[in-house]
Amino acid sequence: MKVVPTIAELRKELAKARNTAFVPTMGNLHEGHLSLVRRARELAGPKGPVVTSIFVNRLQFAPHEDFDTYPRTFERDCELLRSAGCDIVFAPNEAELYPEPQGYKVQPPSELADILEGHFRPGFFTGVCTVVLKLFNCVQPASAVFGKKDYQQLMVIRRMVAQLALPLHIEAGETTRADDGLALSSRNGYLSEAERAEAVQLSRALADVKRALHNGERDIAALEKRAMNTLSVRGWKPDYVVVRRQVDLQPPQGGEPLVVLAAAKLGTTRLIDNVEV
Ligand code: PAF
């Protein structure tokens, strides 16, 4: 496995590559990321290279968010990536990826990017799309793997790839969960022991909504409110628990595949999760 810090070196490494599979990350890797890398390994086949990027992207953090304290665990990340079958780690520093302030940005459509996460984190998806497009330009992959854990991000990227006719396939990776059901996330590391024990309640709230929908409950507003209330009573500060259409994250019209999405703060840690219905 090679660690490549510059775009020029990356291009040289990949000059003759075919069927490159790519997993963009911000590092601080866990089993969830590694499952995406293993999926990339399958997509690349025996001959295609698997590239993982590690870059904490300032553009997607608001000034009050955790850019400075976001855990940087580069050596450990590289060991994990090697064991998961990664061939190249693209690890540019900020001066390499943003040698001057990034004036050209990708503005995703408001109806998809200004709802849910985008509502609570204005500009977040502009930052994500801008860096992901730039990384795609550097790596030029045949496929890229994004986790369903960040469901809205996956949708936003899929739409960007379709609308800009980018020549790659976007693959969705399933969410990896701890034994108790908590979705693995780099930010779980911020939780105290007591918070970690409580954190499972987020996935339970989603599972309750899913069960109610399967049982034929159709008052979606009431279900969402009940889930928000359950979390609030336990001391969470929920931003949203909503039932949306999988296809475009808009409110359901009836009969289409659904997804339940939630974001809530436990102490100072904001967690997100979702479950397809
Ligand atoms: O999901 C992430 O880790 C980031 O949003 C991504 C896709 C690597 C872009 O910085």
Side-chain angles (χ1 to χ4, degrees):
M1 188 182 80
K2 280 198 174 155
V3 176
V4 176
T6 68
I7 297 170
E9 283 170 85
L10 182 72
R11 291 206 163 124
K12 215 166 142 195
E13 281 296 327
L14 293 174
K16 294 199 178 110
R18 298 188 61 174
N19 209 30
T20 303
F22 176 46
V23 183
T25 82
M26 297 204 300
N28 193 25
L29 303 182
H30 50 68
E31 187 49 40
H33 295 108
L34 300 184
S35 74
L36 305 183
V37 175
R38 286 193 282 266
R39 182 70 194 115
R41 180 70 276 155
E42 289 169 2
L43 290 168
K47 293 200 180 127
V50 172
V51 179
T52 304
S53 62
I54 297 181
F55 180 70
V56 185
N57 174 37
R58 185 185 292 276
L59 291 188
Q60 69 191 72
F61 288 79
H64 65 277
E65 291 183 335
D66 54 346
F67 175 78
D68 288 327
T69 54
Y70 198 85
R72 277 120 171 128
T73 53
F74 187 68
E75 301 304 327
R76 187 175 168 274
D77 291 347
C78 286
E79 278 171 34
L80 292 171
L81 286 173
R82 189 174 291 117
S83 70
C86 177
D87 297 305
I88 297 175
V89 181
F90 178 43
N93 61 21
E94 278 205 286
E96 178 68 15
L97 213 56
Y98 299 135
E100 56 185 76
Q102 184 70 30
Y104 288 84
K105 292 186 180 157
V106 180
Q107 181 73 60
S110 179
E111 71 276 10
L112 184 58
D114 293 345
I115 59 171
L116 308 175
E117 283 307 283
H119 174 78
F120 288 94
R121 304 179 70 186
F124 172 67
F125 287 115
T126 296
V128 169
C129 286
T130 303
V131 80
V132 168
L133 181 62
K134 195 157 186 174
L135 291 167
F136 284 170
N137 284 335
C138 298
V139 178
Q140 305 204 355
S143 56
V145 190
F146 288 81
K148 283 190 188 175
K149 159 78 170 48
D150 297 301
Y151 205 88
Q152 190 176 4
Q153 171 172 278
L154 170 66
M155 296 295 148
V156 168
I157 298 295
R158 273 216 165 118
R159 182 92 68 91
M160 175 179 82
V161 165
Q163 279 204 2
L164 298 180
L166 303 180
L168 75 149
H169 161 73
I170 298 296
E171 176 81 358
E174 294 300 327
T175 301
T176 307
R177 296 183 180 278
D179 287 345
D180 64 356
L182 175 67
L184 297 193
S185 161
S186 299
R187 291 192 168 97
N188 292 352
Y190 296 152
L191 299 169
S192 69
E193 211 177 305
E195 287 168 345
R196 172 61 191 84
E198 172 64 22
V200 63
Q201 297 301 331
L202 189 61
S203 59
R204 292 206 180 139
L206 293 170
D208 286 346
V209 176
K210 177 174 172 165
R211 197 173 316 111
L213 290 167
H214 277 168
N215 289 343
E217 280 199 37
R218 285 292 165 262
D219 188 345
I220 284 174
L223 283 176
E224 293 171 346
K225 202 168 158 199
R226 199 159 74 214
M228 295 272 284
N229 198 36
T230 305
L231 290 169
S232 301
V233 165
R234 301 186 65 95
W236 293 70
K237 290 198 176 63
D239 283 341
Y240 58 84
V241 180
V242 292
V243 179
R244 292 293 168 99
R245 309 199 293 217
Q246 284 180 21
V247 64
D248 57 5
L249 303 184
Q250 293 302 310
Q253 302 292 321
E256 64 277 77
L258 301 176
V259 55
V260 193
L261 305 112
K265 250 182 157 182
L266 185 56
T268 54
T269 308
R270 187 170 180 280
L271 299 178
I272 63 171
D273 198 357
N274 64 79
V275 63
E276 288 176 328
V277 178

